[in-house]
């Protein structure tokens, strides 16, 4: 797993532009979309905590300057909920400052979470579904 994270990070660094139009994160929006596509397995994370299931959106928060909207649905339902991203801070674009970068759900209530991103150019990501496998 450490190798995979290192490889993704190295690839992300290679995608950094030498010059050209940049977003708030210092790279063109197309490259942010590529990084999000390469790291889509990390868009959502799960944790059991004190009798609840926590669904984390931390990874998406760290790329918020390249995302306009995050829509999600639970257990195969419609994408009828929006994860509200913090406002982009160009001076610190990857900072995750939310006290709770997650939603809380009752224990045993989450089988999956589906996510779709909307980018500043109006394009959408593929629908990604993340299966929850309690420990």
């Amino acid at each position: 797993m450490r190798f995979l994270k290192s490889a993704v990070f190295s690839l992300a660094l290679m995608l950094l532009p030498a010059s050209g139009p940049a977003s708030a994160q210092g790279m063109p929006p197309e490259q942010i979309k590529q990084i999000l596509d390469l790291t889509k397995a990390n868009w959502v994370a799960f944790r059991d905590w004190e009798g609840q299931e926590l669904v984390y959106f931390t990874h998406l928060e760290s790329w918020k300057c390249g995302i306009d909207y995050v829509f999600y649905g639970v257990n195969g339902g419609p994408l009828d909920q929006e994860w509200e991203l913090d406002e982009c801070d160009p001076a610190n674009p990857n900072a995750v400052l939310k006290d709770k970068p997650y939603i809380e759900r009752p224990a045993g209530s989450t089988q999956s979470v589906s996510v779709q991103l909307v980018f500043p150019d109006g394009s959408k990501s593929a629908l990604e579904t993340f299966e929850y496998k309690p420990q």
Side-chain angles (χ1 to χ4, degrees):
M1 185 61 137
R2 175 177 277 166
F3 172 76
L4 179 61
K5 287 181 182 178
S6 177
V8 169
F9 180 73
S10 295
L11 182 57
L13 287 177
M14 289 188 316
L15 292 173
L16 289 174
S19 63
S23 73
Q25 283 177 294
M27 62 182 74
E30 221 23 70
Q31 289 182 339
I32 292 174
K33 287 198 287 189
Q34 288 175 340
I35 290 170
L36 285 164
D37 187 53
L38 290 169
T39 61
K40 62 187 164 197
N42 299 312
W43 288 3
V44 172
F46 300 97
R47 179 179 184 197
D48 289 328
W49 181 255
E50 296 183 356
Q52 294 182 334
E53 295 169 351
L54 306 182
V55 180
Y56 282 85
F57 293 92
T58 312
H59 184 76
L60 298 175
E61 281 291 335
S62 70
W63 289 99
K64 63 189 163 282
C65 293
I67 305 169
D68 270 0
Y69 301 99
V70 176
F71 293 105
Y72 70 95
V74 178
N75 299 335
L79 300 175
D80 60 354
Q81 298 176 70
E82 180 182 351
W83 173 259
E84 293 191 27
L85 296 162
D86 270 347
E87 191 171 321
C88 173
D89 177 1
N92 201 5
N94 297 103
V96 177
L97 302 175
K98 276 192 175 188
D99 288 335
K100 293 183 176 183
Y102 56 84
I103 57 172
E104 300 170 357
R105 297 191 37 88
S109 68
T110 310
Q111 289 79 51
S112 66
V113 173
S114 298
V115 175
Q116 187 170 49
L117 310 180
V118 179
F119 299 104
D121 65 3
S123 65
K124 297 178 182 179
S125 71
L127 176 69
E128 299 295 334
T129 300
F130 304 88
E131 301 295 325
Y132 179 45
K133 298 173 185 156
Q135 301 297 325

